[in-house]
């Protein structure tokens, strides 16, 4: 299989099954994990501990009683079952962002796509430093950039499956020199491939703006093709949210289904519920930031999947869309959030 050129990719989207006409993508979840391992690498060779179940569901779903077993989902069969539920509810495309450090399984995702008929678009690059391979510490920006370009145009992680966007490129608190090199490399790869870039900011309100300032200082980029993830656990001040939106970046509320205010990763944060997420999105739309909103669930714990009592990948289509309609979101706004903006982002330029 020959390496794709940018001209061959321009105007198309790329799923794990190959290039497609972006018109077929339809209703899209922009940030999910289907086959993943978010256990810290230092504990992956230990006993995975308790399995998620009815008796421990609250602790597992809220991470107040964390178990390594809950943070690891390697099964193609389980992923296919979960994706089929989403497809039955109206989802047509899922963006899967289990990248370097999170045990990506491109060939497994091919099997899920074939079994379900869902368009699966895979990200590439590297997650936060704590999950990166030791060899990455000595790598250069150009080396990382060349790797990401190859992952888009040639294949990922020893397979012939190609990525459809860059990221979720990881930033932790404090933002490390290694992570900054990976981010700089992703900006180069974006310019060379025409792919969109999706970013995992640190759990600190000024982290997204810090990243956007970094991007501006590195020659800038088309910010309308950059997605800032996890807005709902990161930005709570309207002025900070509006300033971020003014950069032109796409804002991603991607924790739909998490209804608890408790956020164990940062106890200073009161997590919004789905209604709160929609109120924040309403403010952005009313301020005129059209084409700057996408949504998803970011499922990365088994307890969040319906097999283990969670809300699952169908939650937005089954529950959130009716809520949006009751709260006055127009058909055009819903179309823009779930279809038009994802399609624009997933189309190579």
């Amino acid at each position: 299989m020959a390496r794709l050129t940018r001209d061959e990719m321009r105007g198309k989207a790329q799923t794990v099954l190959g290039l497609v006409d972006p018109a077929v993508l339809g209703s899209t979840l922009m940030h999910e994990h289907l086959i993943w391992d978010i256990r810290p690498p230092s504990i992956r060779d230990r006993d995975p501990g308790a399995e998620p179940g009815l008796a421990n569901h609250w602790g597992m779903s809220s991470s107040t009683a964390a178990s390594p077993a809950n943070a690891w989902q390697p099964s193609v069969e389980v992923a296919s079952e979960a994706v089929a539920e989403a497809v039955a509810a109206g989802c047509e495309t899922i963006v899967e962002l289990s990248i370097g450090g999170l045990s990506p399984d491109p060939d497994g995702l091919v099997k899920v796509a074939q079994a379900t008929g869902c368009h699966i678009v895979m990200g590439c690059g590297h997650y936060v430093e704590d999950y990166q391979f030791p060899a990455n510490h000595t790598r250069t920006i150009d080396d990382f950039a060349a790797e990401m370009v190859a992952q888009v145009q040639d294949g990922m992680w020893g397979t012939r499956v190609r990525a459809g966007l860059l990221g979720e490129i990881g930033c932790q608190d404090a933002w490390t020199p290694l992570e900054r090199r990976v981010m700089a490399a992703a900006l180069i790869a974006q310019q060379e491939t025409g792919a969109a870039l999706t970013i995992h900011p640190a759990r600190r309100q000024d982290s997204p703006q810090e990243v956007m300032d970094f991007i501006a200082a590195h020659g800038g980029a088309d910010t309308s093709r950059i997605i800032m993830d996890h807005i709902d656990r990161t930005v709570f001040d309207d002025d900070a949210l509006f300033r971020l939106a003014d950069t032109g970046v796409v804002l991603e509320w991607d924790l739909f289904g998490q209804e608890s205010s408790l956020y164990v990763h940062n106890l200073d944060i009161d997590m919004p519920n789905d209604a709160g997420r929609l109120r924040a999105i309403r403010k952005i739309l009313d301020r005129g930031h059209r084409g700057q909103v996408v949504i998803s669930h970011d499922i990365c714990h088994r307890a969040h999947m319906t097999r283990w009592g969670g809300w699952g990948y169908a939650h937005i289509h089954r529950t959130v869309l009716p809520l949006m309609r009751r709260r006055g979101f127009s058909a055009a706004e819903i179309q823009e959030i779930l279809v038009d903006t994802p399609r624009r982002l997933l189309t190579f330029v």
Side-chain angles (χ1 to χ4, degrees):
M1 187 166 66
R3 184 166 183 156
L4 293 174
T5 67
R6 184 164 181 179
D7 284 342
E8 290 175 306
M9 303 180 74
R10 188 176 286 111
K12 299 182 177 68
Q14 185 155 254
T15 77
V16 296
L17 298 182
L19 292 173
V20 298
D21 183 339
V24 308
L25 296 178
S27 190
T28 301
L29 300 175
M30 283 295 294
H31 192 126
E32 303 294 347
H33 301 274
L34 304 176
I35 300 173
W36 76 82
D37 190 350
I38 64 164
R39 297 175 298 173
S42 61
I43 70 168
R44 289 181 183 176
D45 59 351
R46 301 180 191 173
D47 184 338
E51 290 286 312
L54 181 62
N56 62 15
H57 183 264
W58 163 248
M60 291 285 186
S61 63
S62 65
S63 296
T64 57
S67 166
N70 189 39
W72 179 36
Q73 200 307 98
S75 169
V76 169
E77 178 184 1
V78 168
S80 297
E81 172 188 273
V83 170
E85 293 176 0
V87 170
C91 176
E92 296 167 88
T93 299
I94 293 177
V95 176
E96 215 281 3
L97 296 177
S98 299
I99 61 170
L102 301 179
S103 297
D105 184 359
D107 287 333
L109 293 177
V110 167
K111 295 175 182 176
V112 175
Q114 291 171 336
T116 63
C118 186
H119 302 292
I120 297 177
V121 177
M122 195 170 178
C124 68
H126 294 275
Y127 193 51
V128 298
E129 179 169 330
D130 288 350
Y131 284 76
Q132 290 198 34
F133 310 119
N136 282 7
H137 288 270
T138 59
R139 295 178 62 187
T140 66
I141 291 173
D142 287 344
D143 190 28
F144 282 123
E147 177 188 49
M148 283 184 257
V149 171
Q151 288 177 328
V152 170
Q153 296 181 340
D154 193 14
M156 297 178 285
W157 313 113
T159 76
R160 303 303 289 174
V161 180
R162 300 181 177 105
L165 79 167
L166 306 163
E168 60 181 296
I169 302 301
C171 312
Q172 61 192 39
D173 193 13
W175 197 12
T176 72
L178 171 57
E179 292 167 348
R180 289 172 184 261
R181 291 203 306 277
V182 174
M183 185 68 70
L187 294 173
I188 294 170
Q190 184 182 34
Q191 292 174 345
E192 293 192 16
T193 64
L197 167 62
T198 189
I199 296 169
H200 168 102
R203 294 177 176 90
R204 172 170 43 85
Q205 180 159 270
D206 57 354
S207 174
Q209 190 66 51
E210 179 184 20
V211 173
M212 296 310 296
D213 292 345
F214 175 92
I215 290 170
H218 280 69
D222 180 355
T223 56
S224 72
R225 296 189 56 74
I226 296 175
I227 308 150
M228 192 61 65
D229 309 341
H230 314 318
I231 294 298
D232 31 2
R233 60 86 160 139
T234 311
V235 183
F236 302 97
D237 176 77
D238 283 353
D239 288 341
L241 181 63
F242 297 156
R243 181 183 174 211
L244 185 62
D246 286 342
T247 68
V249 73
V250 176
L251 306 172
E252 183 176 273
W253 280 263
D254 51 32
L255 298 174
F256 275 90
Q258 296 192 32
E259 288 284 312
S260 172
S261 62
L262 179 65
Y263 188 60
V264 298
H265 301 291
N266 185 343
L267 294 177
D268 292 330
I269 290 174
D270 292 331
M271 183 76 82
N273 59 13
D274 286 353
R277 294 178 179 98
L278 293 182
R279 283 195 294 271
I281 291 171
R282 182 76 269 160
K283 290 178 183 179
I284 286 295
L285 296 182
D286 287 348
R287 197 167 180 264
H289 296 286
R290 302 301 300 268
Q292 283 183 251
V293 175
V294 291
I295 62 177
S296 210
H297 309 96
D298 190 20
I299 288 177
C300 56
H301 291 85
R302 285 198 283 158
H304 297 170
M305 302 173 78
T306 56
R307 177 183 275 231
W308 287 279
W311 44 93
Y313 304 95
H315 172 72
I316 283 175
H317 289 87
R318 286 176 176 166
T319 306
V320 176
L321 291 190
L323 181 61
M324 292 176 78
R325 296 183 185 107
R326 290 198 302 271
R327 288 175 174 264
F329 284 78
S330 68
E333 288 171 332
I334 293 171
Q335 168 83 10
E336 182 178 80
I337 291 169
L338 276 170
V339 180
D340 296 344
T341 301
R343 182 173 59 212
R344 173 180 66 79
L345 292 165
L346 296 176
T347 301
F348 287 89
V349 298

